[in-house]
Amino acid sequence: MGKNFKSIVCIGLIALTFYSCKKGSNSETADLGTNQYKDYNEQVSQNVSKLNPERKQQREKWLKELKKNPVYIDLVDSDVVSVDYLPTLNAVSDAIKNSFSIDGSSQFGISEAIATNLEKSNNGDSKMSFVVAVSSLSLRMNGGLPNEIVEVFDRYRSKYNLYGAGNTNFYDSNGKSVKIEKPFNISYAFGLFDPKDEKVLDAIYESVQKGVSQWKESSEQV
């Protein structure tokens, strides 16, 4: 992977991060964590403290609804790590990749194929509700993702890596095999969490080269 190319990718990913120069109080209790994503969590905490009352109220509403979602309960409360939820996190990562701004309004898009496959899966409605709420929270105008969601992605990265091709068998440390039927790519989410991670930059490049993903068409990130 060429040095110049990687620099271009890095610049694009840095645009996804949330910058804040001054520390302030935050009414939302934030777990800043002790992992490599602490900087992102601190930035989110600062962003949330600066939200206007209406935007902050909407954020709190999404978080409240999320905590009742059975997918959230599995992924966050029960620490479930399963190939069944890879398409869900893949959809969030796709939304993060396809975030953009039009006339000052932040939006995100999800591939039709990814959304359709998720909706048709078991418990598809709950999964899509989870994806929409989490993707909305990821936007800068809404503050960013809480640490518990970042940790979910980190657990899946640890077990399944940043991306993978479909129709392949995955073997865990005990030699147990599970089949991953659809391609997945959660590297774009980690481009948001830690845009300087060399492994993430490599994964984004490699996933595109291998046809697992494609470059984002819109140039203006939010």
Side-chain angles (χ1 to χ4, degrees), residues 159-191:
K159 185 166 184 177
Y160 299 112
N161 298 320
L162 289 164
Y163 73 93
N167 198 30
T168 58
N169 288 325
F170 175 85
Y171 296 88
D172 62 19
S173 58
N174 297 317
K176 184 178 179 180
S177 172
V178 293
K179 188 172 184 178
I180 299 177
E181 297 182 354
K182 300 288 184 181
F184 72 93
N185 187 357
I186 60 175
S187 61
Y188 289 99
F190 289 92

Side-chain angles (χ1 to χ4, degrees), residues 17-30:
T17 60
F18 308 145
Y19 294 97
S20 183
C21 298
K22 297 180 180 179
K23 291 187 176 181
S25 61
N26 179 13
S27 61
E28 178 181 334
T29 301

Side-chain angles (χ1 to χ4, degrees), residues 20 28 54 104 118 127 153 182:
S20 183
E28 178 181 334
E54 182 180 356
L118 192 62
K127 290 175 181 176
F153 274 92
K182 300 288 184 181

Side-chain angles (χ1 to χ4, degrees), residues 66-82:
L66 260 180
K67 291 178 181 180
K68 297 178 182 178
N69 188 301
V71 176
Y72 180 98
I73 293 171
D74 277 353
L75 294 177
V76 177
D77 297 340
S78 300
D79 294 339
V80 172
V81 180
S82 166

Side-chain angles (χ1 to χ4, degrees), residues 17 59 113 185 193 215-216:
T17 60
R59 177 182 174 85
N185 187 357
F193 306 150
W215 297 120
K216 178 182 181 296

Side-chain angles (χ1 to χ4, degrees), residues 1-197:
M1 181 175 179
K3 183 177 181 180
N4 291 337
F5 182 88
K6 187 176 292 185
S7 297
I8 293 172
V9 175
C10 185
I11 291 172
L13 289 175
I14 289 175
L16 284 167
T17 60
F18 308 145
Y19 294 97
S20 183
C21 298
K22 297 180 180 179
K23 291 187 176 181
S25 61
N26 179 13
S27 61
E28 178 181 334
T29 301
D31 178 6
L32 299 182
T34 57
N35 55 38
Q36 69 185 90
Y37 313 113
K38 185 176 180 179
D39 287 345
Y40 172 78
N41 293 330
E42 289 177 342
Q43 291 166 358
V44 170
S45 180
Q46 294 300 309
N47 285 335
V48 172
S49 71
K50 296 176 181 179
L51 294 177
N52 62 46
E54 182 180 356
R55 187 65 59 182
K56 186 172 293 186
Q57 184 178 18
Q58 178 61 65
R59 177 182 174 85
E60 292 171 353
K61 179 181 178 182
W62 278 321
L63 288 171
K64 184 177 180 179
E65 291 175 350
L66 260 180
K67 291 178 181 180
K68 297 178 182 178
N69 188 301
V71 176
Y72 180 98
I73 293 171
D74 277 353
L75 294 177
V76 177
D77 297 340
S78 300
D79 294 339
V80 172
V81 180
S82 166
V83 292
D84 293 338
Y85 283 123
L86 274 176
T88 304
L89 299 187
N90 178 63
V92 174
S93 185
D94 191 61
I96 290 172
K97 179 191 73 172
N98 292 312
S99 61
F100 58 96
S101 180
I102 298 179
D103 298 328
S105 176
S106 298
Q107 302 178 32
F108 63 85
I110 301 175
S111 162
E112 183 177 357
I114 290 175
T116 299
N117 287 331
L118 192 62
E119 289 170 343
K120 291 181 178 179
S121 67
N122 183 43
N123 204 18
D125 289 343
S126 294
K127 290 175 181 176
M128 278 305 301
S129 294
F130 176 89
V131 169
V132 171
V134 172
S135 300
S136 297
L137 287 168
S138 75
L139 298 175
R140 176 170 55 187
M141 64 183 290
N142 294 324
L145 293 179
N147 184 55
E148 59 265 25
I149 298 297
V150 176
E151 289 183 342
V152 167
F153 274 92
D154 194 50
R155 286 194 290 272
Y156 275 74
R157 175 185 184 174
S158 296
K159 185 166 184 177
Y160 299 112
N161 298 320
L162 289 164
Y163 73 93
N167 198 30
T168 58
N169 288 325
F170 175 85
Y171 296 88
D172 62 19
S173 58
N174 297 317
K176 184 178 179 180
S177 172
V178 293
K179 188 172 184 178
I180 299 177
E181 297 182 354
K182 300 288 184 181
F184 72 93
N185 187 357
I186 60 175
S187 61
Y188 289 99
F190 289 92
L192 178 67
F193 306 150
D194 189 2
K196 296 181 181 180
D197 189 335

